[in-house]
Amino acid sequence: MDHVETGLRERKKRRTRWAIASAALRLFAERGYEETTIADITAAADVSPRTFFSYFPSKEDVVFTEIDDRLAEVAERLSDRPPGEPPLETIRRCVVDVTEAIVAEHGEYGAVQVRLILERPGLQARALQRLTATQEEIEARLHELCPGIDEIDAVAAAGIAVGGMQAVVVHCRRHGYEPASMRAALDRALTIVEHGLGSLTALTAPSEGAPERRAPDRGGARAPVPGPPFTPLPRPRPPPPRGRRLRGRV
């Protein structure tokens, strides 16, 4: 019974949180961000100012409601790993689930959210803080999934996964993609991310076979990470000379 009551309370909190955020984004779209006050938001959401501040420390934090919820889901789902599942498959399953949630909740205010962040330096700074914190959290989860992963490999993998998917979400919302087009774009992005992460042996092998974790050698050369052979690009040909060259002058 306690478990049921806890679940009901959590769902009620989530509904209230999203009601406040939806009302805020609607007002931001109609009136403008600076012109909308917290009193306006609480009135539109039919909650008290005290309730507002119990969910959000400031007006700026309302803009990141969905982002915060999705990023929290990523960290939570990475911890839910079936025994023996390769870490890369765990990451893929996590990203697919979160992507479906993003597409399902992709409404008319997605573009408003992105525009607000891109236009206001203060919100850009908060977005960067969240992105950095998320990459660090994913990095820590990767070390739990595969304790033998190299430190730099974990940092790069977290950056590829978080940065790549986030960039495509922003692009789709900024340019008004429909849900079906957004899902297709995110599927392509996931394929690219998988291709990059697939070069890391620690992410493709089950945890039982993972090697011991080693720190990067900061003072000397480091063994290269196995991957596809490097093919140098052809050198461009120099442009043809213009006019006739002058002789006798330096």
Side-chain angles (χ1 to χ4, degrees), residues 113-135:
Q113 176 198 64
V114 170
R115 177 171 55 80
L116 289 172
I117 295 174
L118 295 178
E119 290 179 352
R120 286 165 173 75
L123 294 179
Q124 289 181 14
R126 286 175 176 261
L128 180 60
Q129 290 174 351
R130 281 168 164 81
L131 187 65
T132 301
T134 301
Q135 290 181 182

Side-chain angles (χ1 to χ4, degrees), residues 86-235:
L88 184 59
E89 179 60 28
T90 305
I91 295 171
R92 183 185 187 284
R93 181 165 44 81
C94 164
V95 173
V96 168
D97 291 344
V98 173
T99 295
E100 286 300 319
I102 291 174
V103 173
E105 294 173 351
H106 175 64
E108 58 181 316
Y109 301 126
V112 176
Q113 176 198 64
V114 170
R115 177 171 55 80
L116 289 172
I117 295 174
L118 295 178
E119 290 179 352
R120 286 165 173 75
L123 294 179
Q124 289 181 14
R126 286 175 176 261
L128 180 60
Q129 290 174 351
R130 281 168 164 81
L131 187 65
T132 301
T134 301
Q135 290 181 182
E136 292 175 349
E137 176 69 18
I138 300 303
E139 178 192 344
R141 299 289 180 175
L142 288 177
H143 284 301
E144 295 176 1
L145 289 173
C146 40
I149 190 170
D150 180 89
E151 180 179 328
I152 297 302
D153 291 349
V155 172
I160 292 170
V162 176
M165 301 306 294
Q166 179 264 349
V168 174
V169 170
V170 170
H171 175 85
C172 291
R173 290 187 167 176
R174 188 178 187 181
H175 295 280
Y177 278 42
E178 296 296 327
S181 299
M182 186 175 185
R183 178 180 287 105
L186 290 172
D187 286 344
R188 289 180 60 187
L190 178 58
T191 300
I192 295 171
V193 169
E194 281 187 292
H195 180 74
L197 300 185
S199 64
L200 302 178
T201 305
L203 296 182
T204 57
S207 57
E208 292 79 6
E212 295 183 0
R213 177 182 176 184
R214 65 183 188 278
D217 184 2
R218 305 183 189 277
R222 177 170 168 263
V225 178
F230 173 72
T231 303
L233 296 175
R235 292 180 175 270

